[in-house]
Amino acid sequence: QAILAQAIAARVIGCRPVARPPLPCAVPVRAAMDDVIDSHIHLSHAYSGGMHNEWQASMPDSFKKDFTEADYRAAVAKSGINVTGAIFVECFNRPPEEEARWVLKMIEDPNSIVIAMSAQIYAQKGAAEVNGFLDKLRGPDGALPKGLKGGRMIFQATENNAPDACLDPLFLEGLEAVGKAGLLWEFCCHPTMAPHLPEAIAKFPEMTFVIDHLAHNTNDGGEMEKWGPAIDEIDKFPNVYAKMGATEEWEVSNHGDYMDRAIKAFGFDRIIYESNWFVNEAMGCQYGDTAKLLLEACKRAGATDEDLRKVFKLNALKAYKIDL
């Protein structure tokens, strides 16, 4: 249990909450982002009697409070960005099946901003683990909830978190089960795993994959000369999307250079905006910081209004198969 807690904390190794001023933006945010889908948010009500959150408990004090949908809406409102829908991504609310049921109720509520989710599915433990988890969520007719779109279990918190853990036969077995269920998989890993991702992805050409945070959790192996070529290889697979966000976790000062490299690789058809809320807020960032960085990077790459609409909305809907 102690090892797991340390691994969960390692998800954001080096996190230090700091007060940061709003990032400058030469492009009017409102004009470009008046209808945005945020592809990556976390929620917790662990500190008001809700489910225990194993991750928050291992983090600095700025993480140790509730982060609710109402809090999220308030953070978004301050940014001037019009978020019309958000995708919840697992964040260690315990137990995982209850986290999923909690969020699925939000998705069913027309007044909620949450429109889809990726649940914590421990694919690294194999097909039996995947199928056992999914069976707990199936309805009387055997169908999975419509709001469940994908699965994720961060490699930093698994028993095998080696750079090539994505090639572990047991994980590949679990990944196949996720795909057979019609779900996508989100890779969340240190940059050291990025060079190995193409080999894993190549085994499942019919499955959709999302690379969280540009495969740049911390800067362990994230130097441009190592990370860049790996991204260039990953982008060759048309079934892969890259989330552009969580810049507060990259541990680099030149965020724009990394965004430029990713946009050049994936193009505007497979880049997806993510805020990584509430991690960004707990680390002292404002909601609009990442959006402004991404908007500037898109403009540097010559993005049209339609390109921006893809990056900030349409690509998320396509990857997660969401009908609004």
Side-chain angles (χ1 to χ4, degrees):
Q1 206 53 21
I3 294 175
L4 178 60
Q6 291 173 6
I8 295 169
R11 182 193 186 285
V12 282
I13 290 175
C15 285
R16 293 294 183 272
V18 294
R20 297 175 182 170
L23 291 174
C25 184
V27 183
V29 174
R30 193 73 177 178
M33 294 181 284
D34 60 357
D35 184 10
V36 171
I37 299 296
D38 185 344
S39 71
H40 202 103
I41 73 167
H42 306 299
L43 299 169
S44 169
H45 59 165
Y47 292 85
S48 60
M51 289 172 288
H52 172 66
N53 188 290
E54 193 170 8
W55 167 39
Q56 282 179 283
S58 65
M59 297 303 291
D61 288 345
S62 60
F63 284 79
K64 295 177 181 177
K65 65 175 185 175
D66 285 349
F67 290 94
T68 66
E69 181 177 348
D71 297 325
Y72 172 73
R73 287 178 178 271
V76 171
K78 293 177 183 178
S79 72
I81 298 170
N82 184 29
V83 175
T84 55
I87 298 168
F88 174 92
V89 179
E90 62 83 19
C91 62
F92 282 90
N93 291 298
R94 288 291 187 243
E97 61 270 20
E98 290 306 315
E99 176 184 64
R101 292 189 182 103
W102 176 52
V103 177
L104 287 167
K105 287 181 180 179
M106 296 181 200
I107 296 169
E108 293 170 0
D109 182 354
N111 295 315
S112 174
I113 202 168
V114 183
I115 58 174
M117 75 170 299
S118 281
Q120 187 175 97
I121 303 176
Y122 211 147
Q124 290 89 338
K125 289 187 175 182
E129 180 74 18
V130 171
N131 293 328
F133 175 83
L134 294 177
D135 285 346
K136 295 176 183 177
L137 300 180
R138 294 185 187 277
D141 62 352
L144 289 171
K146 291 183 179 180
L148 178 62
K149 302 297 184 179
R152 183 182 88 147
M153 176 63 182
I154 64 172
F155 276 92
Q156 301 93 302
T158 60
E159 293 180 9
N160 180 5
N161 55 17
D164 64 350
C166 59
L167 301 176
D168 187 305
L170 195 59
F171 170 65
L172 295 176
E173 176 191 290
L175 201 55
E176 183 178 18
V178 172
K180 285 182 176 179
L183 303 176
L184 61 76
W185 179 259
E186 304 204 25
F187 278 107
C188 184
C189 58
H190 287 157
T192 52
M193 185 173 287
H196 301 280
L197 293 180
E199 185 176 347
I201 291 167
K203 299 179 185 296
F204 305 96
E206 302 303 318
M207 191 173 172
T208 297
F209 293 95
V210 174
I211 310 299
D212 289 351
H213 316 335
L214 286 185
H216 213 287
N217 279 78
T218 79
N219 199 32
D220 181 12
E223 298 82 2
M224 186 67 75
E225 61 271 18
K226 297 178 181 178
W227 171 89
I231 288 297
D232 293 341
E233 289 301 311
I234 294 170
D235 94 90
K236 294 178 181 178
F237 297 91
N239 56 327
V240 180
Y241 293 82
K243 285 186 180 180
M244 297 274 267
T247 54
E248 64 278 354
E249 297 187 47
W250 292 3
E251 297 183 352
V252 300
S253 59
N254 56 332
H255 301 101
D257 293 341
Y258 283 83
M259 287 187 169
D260 292 348
R261 181 67 176 263
I263 291 173
K264 183 178 180 180
F266 286 93
F268 296 119
D269 289 335
R270 290 187 290 132
I271 289 293
I272 302 176
Y273 164 66
E274 61 165 336
S275 71
N276 198 35
W277 194 90
F278 57 83
V279 177
N280 63 332
E281 183 172 307
M283 293 180 66
C285 299
Q286 299 189 37
Y287 181 83
D289 288 356
T290 293
K292 293 174 184 178
L293 283 170
L294 179 53
L295 179 59
E296 290 285 5
C298 289
K299 287 294 185 179
R300 286 195 298 273
T304 64
D305 289 345
E306 184 58 25
D307 290 331
L308 293 176
R309 183 168 163 77
K310 290 177 181 178
V311 171
F312 286 96
K313 181 177 183 179
L314 299 181
N315 292 345
L317 297 180
K318 185 178 179 181
Y320 286 87
K321 299 178 181 178
I322 299 169
D323 296 319
L324 291 181

